[in-house]
Amino acid sequence: MNNDAISTALTATRNGNTRRKAMIRILATKMAERIVQILVEEGFIENAVKHKDNGKEFSDVRLRYLGKKKDPYIAVIRRISKPGLRVYSDRRQIPKILGGMGIAISSTSRGLITDREARQKKIGGEILRHIW
């Protein structure tokens, strides 16, 4: 049994992109749901639908692709902070991913937010992911 829901969602997304799947299924935890919501808002995935199956809640995530060749919209998705090594950033050191073309998802005192929102609100936190 895997206790790290973030890495499970990350791996499912990466594997789905590699295999060019139309839809993937992620166990619906509060943190995984917020990460999926941020990805939908930023345009990296199309949408997500939540449902129950055998007493557990899942999110069916529809991945987004470019053109007829179905090139993945997400080129790289990388876990930064891990259970064994937490990575924190204050408000002045929030990373810019590819000059603003990618996003960093941070866990702050105000919930999970993107790097742009963190700079705007002038708050730091734990850097969870880089996506571009």
Side-chain angles (χ1 to χ4, degrees), residues 25-93:
R25 180 175 284 183
I26 296 174
L27 186 63
T29 62
K30 287 181 182 180
M31 193 167 290
E33 284 180 24
R34 179 63 183 139
I35 289 171
V36 167
Q37 182 183 3
I38 288 172
L39 292 177
V40 169
E41 290 170 1
E42 293 291 325
F44 285 103
I45 58 178
E46 286 185 25
N47 64 3
V49 178
K50 192 173 163 182
H51 67 89
K52 278 193 172 184
D53 190 20
N54 294 331
K56 293 185 179 180
E57 290 190 5
F58 292 94
S59 291
D60 283 338
V61 178
R62 182 169 297 280
L63 299 174
R64 188 171 178 187
Y65 295 98
L66 296 169
K68 293 182 180 180
K69 291 183 179 180
K70 289 184 76 174
D71 293 325
Y73 202 79
I74 298 173
V76 175
I77 186 166
R78 189 172 292 152
R79 176 89 189 255
I80 303 302
S81 189
K82 301 172 184 168
L85 177 64
R86 302 292 183 183
V87 178
Y88 295 95
S89 174
D90 71 350
R91 64 183 182 91
R92 291 178 297 277
Q93 296 174 338

Side-chain angles (χ1 to χ4, degrees), residues 89-114:
S89 174
D90 71 350
R91 64 183 182 91
R92 291 178 297 277
Q93 296 174 338
I94 298 170
K96 263 194 176 176
I97 311 304
L98 289 180
M101 293 180 64
I103 63 169
I105 298 177
S106 300
S107 176
T108 66
S109 59
R110 297 185 186 156
L112 293 180
I113 58 175
T114 64

